[in-house]
Amino acid sequence: MNEHFYMSLDPISRFSDHSSDYQKYRPGYPDAIITYLEQNIGLNLKKNIADIGSGTGIFTELFLRKGYPVTAVEPNNEMRLQAEEHLGYFRHFKSIGTRAEATLIPSGTIDLITVAQAFHWFDTQQVRSEFLRIAKPGAYVLLVWNILQHKTPFLKAYQQFKEGFSVSKPYRDKADKEQVEHFFNGAEIIVQEIYHSRLLDFNELLGYFRSSSYAPLPGDPEYTSAESNLRSIFDRFEKNGKVKLEYDAKMFLGKI
């Protein structure tokens, strides 16, 4: 991929056409994440949480359902509107339309800063400065990614299928250890993985694929063949009309 194309892939607008599929078909996160935080860092309902790069609110919802107050920060209008429509009835939900590097959150007010599936889009140095500004003394940062496993024949086939479309990814590998360590600037990092899984029918699997920023959408010349190839993979591995997607929710937790 040439440099000009690489630089033209705006991480903010990139998911605009995928926001509906993202909300409907991306995996959630296991409740065990909150249990882990409550047991290991003393997270409780009096703590203020900021979910940065919150997208359509999938990770935000995990905390809201448990009664936590969450400020969600998301610059993409389409994704943020999905979150506001879906989560607006939660009393402790606040939504801000701005970048991670300039959150507009008042200084020194946040106990836990979370970033789910978005850290690889950020300017690491700028976002560290912003997180230091909004954090209370002793605040924690949690970076988390849902990492799709590749251990079963179906998952290997699905990964190979996706790789045919993912050459336009404008970011490093997700959960990049060097980038994370640079962000935490020598502070101790706790690394934890929590397994979870889900069963999808074909339409759900197709929607999940379409939620990727690099996936062709209906109307794209590649879409029909992509759908056909994905159907072939599904038909090969489905059991009772479903395929199993397995994930590790990989967490990096440290003080800022």
Side-chain angles (χ1 to χ4, degrees):
M1 178 168 55
N2 66 53
E3 184 176 356
H4 174 74
F5 180 69
Y6 184 100
M7 295 303 294
S8 70
L9 297 173
D10 179 6
I12 294 178
S13 62
R14 196 171 161 77
F15 281 95
S16 296
D17 294 337
H18 303 261
S19 61
S20 179
D21 287 320
Y22 201 106
Q23 171 62 41
K24 292 178 183 177
Y25 301 115
R26 281 291 176 110
Y29 296 84
D31 288 345
I33 290 177
I34 293 183
T35 303
Y36 180 85
L37 295 172
E38 291 172 340
Q39 293 177 348
N40 288 274
I41 67 170
L43 186 67
N44 61 66
L45 296 181
K46 294 181 180 180
K47 305 292 186 181
N48 293 320
I49 300 170
D51 189 24
I52 311 300
S54 51
T56 61
I58 295 173
F59 197 62
T60 306
E61 184 177 8
L62 184 71
F63 292 90
L64 290 173
R65 283 193 282 104
K66 298 292 186 178
Y68 283 92
V70 184
T71 299
V73 175
E74 172 55 48
N76 181 284
N77 288 332
E78 288 78 9
M79 298 189 83
R80 190 180 66 259
L81 289 173
Q82 289 278 345
E84 291 171 357
E85 180 179 354
H86 185 63
L87 304 176
Y89 67 93
F90 284 103
R91 187 163 55 93
H92 297 299
F93 171 60
K94 181 179 181 181
S95 179
I96 301 177
T98 188
R99 300 176 67 102
E101 296 81 3
T103 65
L104 306 180
I105 294 173
S107 299
T109 59
I110 301 299
D111 299 284
L112 174 65
I113 300 168
T114 65
V115 182
Q117 216 73 18
F119 184 73
H120 48 277
W121 299 107
F122 298 166
D123 181 304
T124 305
Q125 184 174 351
Q126 289 185 25
V127 87
R128 176 176 169 80
S129 297
E130 177 65 1
F131 286 9
L132 284 167
R133 184 188 68 79
I134 68 175
K136 290 181 181 179
Y140 282 86
V141 173
L142 173 68
L143 311 178
V144 58
W145 285 266
N146 265 328
I147 307 296
L148 184 63
Q149 292 187 357
H150 306 145
K151 297 179 181 179
T152 68
F154 161 68
L155 290 173
K156 289 177 181 176
Y158 180 66
Q159 176 64 15
Q160 186 176 16
F161 164 77
K162 285 204 310 175
E163 285 176 353
F165 300 93
S166 61
V167 293
S168 59
K169 286 181 181 178
Y171 51 81
R172 299 198 224 180
D173 289 341
K174 296 178 180 181
D176 180 271
K177 184 179 178 182
E178 180 181 346
Q179 188 183 21
V180 169
E181 289 177 344
H182 177 70
F183 168 79
F184 280 105
N185 195 33
E188 180 182 359
I189 307 170
I190 301 170
V191 182
Q192 183 74 23
E193 293 184 0
I194 299 177
Y195 169 87
H196 62 118
S197 65
R198 59 185 182 143
L199 298 173
L200 302 184
D201 62 25
F202 176 71
N203 286 332
E204 292 167 332
L205 180 65
L206 180 61
Y208 176 53
F209 169 65
R210 286 197 310 257
S211 75
S212 299
S213 63
Y214 49 80
L217 296 174
D220 187 293
E222 291 186 283
Y223 181 77
T224 300
S225 63
E227 182 178 4
S228 176
N229 290 337
L230 186 59
R231 166 62 80 174
S232 178
I233 294 170
F234 179 87
D235 289 344
R236 214 177 344 145
F237 294 105
E238 61 86 14
K239 293 182 180 179
N240 300 316
K242 304 273 188 176
V243 289
K244 186 176 184 179
L245 279 81
E246 301 178 73
Y247 303 87
D248 291 309
K250 187 164 187 176
M251 303 185 294
F252 298 86
L253 178 66
K255 288 188 176 182
I256 186 71

